[in-house]
């Protein structure tokens, strides 16, 4: 019986040594893979952070430009309407003056020679009509969104967390394999449209 027990224990010890060797070989392979990719993983993480930072800045700047463009477009339209009204008032005034001077030629002691330059006003009206057509086309064009999607990083679901006993393995602690867990894996997502945008100055545009 003692001999049988000894044989069984010997087989168990042999299996333990075999599995320990396989585990150590596996850990060394994991160490080599991790060490060869650790810098790439860290650099990729930093690039993701910088990309999101620049994308956020670009989104806010473009939103600000859209708002400024909308305000300027409205201002141009108002100036155009005002210029059209002033031109019509001036033309109407000159025509009225011309009529009164013509009526005065027979009864007035003296009259100033005055004529309305109708071709000039017709040319101006043609230009104003063209501007009006262009502005209407711009106003009827596809309206851009009031804000742009905001890009952010969100932790990615990459499966279950590592087994707790993994951190207690000597090779994992010695080779700092547990540090890769500090660099989370992320995915890019789009938030709702931005409501408020930072004011953009010309220096930033340059």
């Amino acid at each position: 019986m003692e001999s049988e027990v000894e044989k069984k224990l010997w087989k168990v010890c042999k299996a333990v040594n075999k599995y320990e060797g396989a585990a150590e070989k596996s850990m060394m392979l994991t160490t080599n893979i991790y060490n060869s990719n650790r810098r790439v993983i860290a650099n990729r993480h930093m690039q993701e952070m910088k990309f999101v930072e620049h994308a956020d800045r670009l989104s806010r700047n473009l939103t600000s430009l859209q708002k400024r463009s909308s305000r300027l477009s409205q201002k141009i339209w108002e100036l155009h309407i005002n210029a059209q009204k002033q031109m019509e008032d001036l033309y109407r005034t000159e025509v009225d003056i011309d009529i009164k001077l013509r009526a005065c030629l027979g009864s007035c002691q003296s009259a100033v020679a005055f004529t309305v330059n109708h071709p000039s006003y017709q040319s101006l009206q043609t230009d104003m009509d063209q501007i009006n057509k262009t502005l209407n086309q711009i106003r009827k064009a596809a309206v851009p969104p009031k804000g742009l999607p905001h890009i952010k990083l969100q932790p990615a679901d990459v499966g279950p967390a590592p087994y707790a006993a993994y951190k207690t393995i000597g090779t994992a602690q010695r080779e700092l394999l547990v540090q890769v867990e500090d660099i989370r894996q992320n995915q890019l997502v789009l938030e709702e449209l931005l409501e408020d945008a930072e004011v953009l100055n010309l220096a930033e545009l340059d």
Side-chain angles (χ1 to χ4, degrees):
M1 182 181 292
E2 181 180 357
S3 176
E4 290 296 327
V5 171
E6 185 177 356
K7 288 181 180 180
K8 291 180 179 180
L9 289 176
W10 182 80
K11 289 182 180 180
V12 171
C13 291
K14 185 177 180 181
V16 169
N17 289 333
K18 178 182 177 181
Y19 294 140
E20 284 182 347
E24 184 66 22
K25 183 178 179 181
S26 176
M27 289 300 300
M28 291 305 300
L29 180 60
T30 301
T31 300
N32 293 335
I33 295 174
Y34 174 72
N35 288 335
S36 62
N37 289 277
R38 176 162 45 191
R39 180 174 297 179
V40 175
I41 294 173
N43 289 340
R44 181 70 57 84
H45 179 70
M46 295 302 299
Q47 289 174 0
E48 288 176 352
M49 300 297 293
K50 289 181 179 179
F51 173 79
V52 171
E53 179 182 352
H54 292 317
D56 179 71
R57 179 182 177 85
L58 178 61
S59 176
R60 294 180 183 275
N61 289 350
L62 288 176
T63 302
S64 177
L65 284 174
Q66 285 182 348
K67 291 183 177 181
R68 292 177 60 188
S69 176
S70 178
R71 290 194 299 268
L72 290 174
S73 177
Q74 181 63 29
K75 187 174 181 180
I76 290 173
W77 177 259
E78 292 173 355
L79 291 173
H80 167 69
I81 297 298
N82 189 30
Q84 176 72 34
K85 185 177 182 301
Q86 290 180 3
M87 186 191 71
E88 293 173 354
D89 291 342
L90 183 59
Y91 183 53
R92 189 180 300 109
T93 301
E94 289 196 8
V95 170
D96 186 54
I97 293 173
D98 184 47
I99 293 173
K100 290 180 179 180
L101 288 176
R102 288 177 183 274
C104 187
L105 288 178
S107 58
C108 296
Q109 184 177 2
S110 62
V112 179
F114 179 81
T115 56
V116 180
N117 190 348
H118 296 285
S120 176
Y121 278 105
Q122 290 175 356
S123 177
L124 282 175
Q125 186 59 51
T126 301
D127 293 339
M128 295 298 288
D129 291 341
Q130 182 61 39
I131 294 174
N132 185 68
K133 181 180 179 181
T134 303
L135 291 177
N136 279 327
Q137 289 176 348
I138 295 175
R139 290 165 67 89
K140 293 179 180 179
V143 180
K146 293 182 179 180
L148 297 174
H150 176 54
I151 299 176
K152 73 171 186 176
L153 286 179
Q154 179 175 298
D157 184 10
V158 293
Y163 185 55
Y166 169 77
K167 296 181 180 182
T168 65
I169 300 176
T171 304
Q173 294 179 347
R174 184 172 61 255
E175 299 295 337
L176 304 178
L177 299 183
V178 295
Q179 286 190 356
V180 74
E181 299 171 9
D182 297 334
I183 304 177
R184 66 183 184 183
Q185 297 189 44
N186 301 309
Q187 59 183 350
L188 295 176
V189 296
L190 296 179
E191 283 186 335
E192 296 180 358
L193 297 182
L194 293 173
E195 294 295 337
D196 298 322
E198 295 177 353
V199 177
L200 187 69
N201 57 51
L202 296 178
E204 291 177 334
L205 282 177
D206 294 338

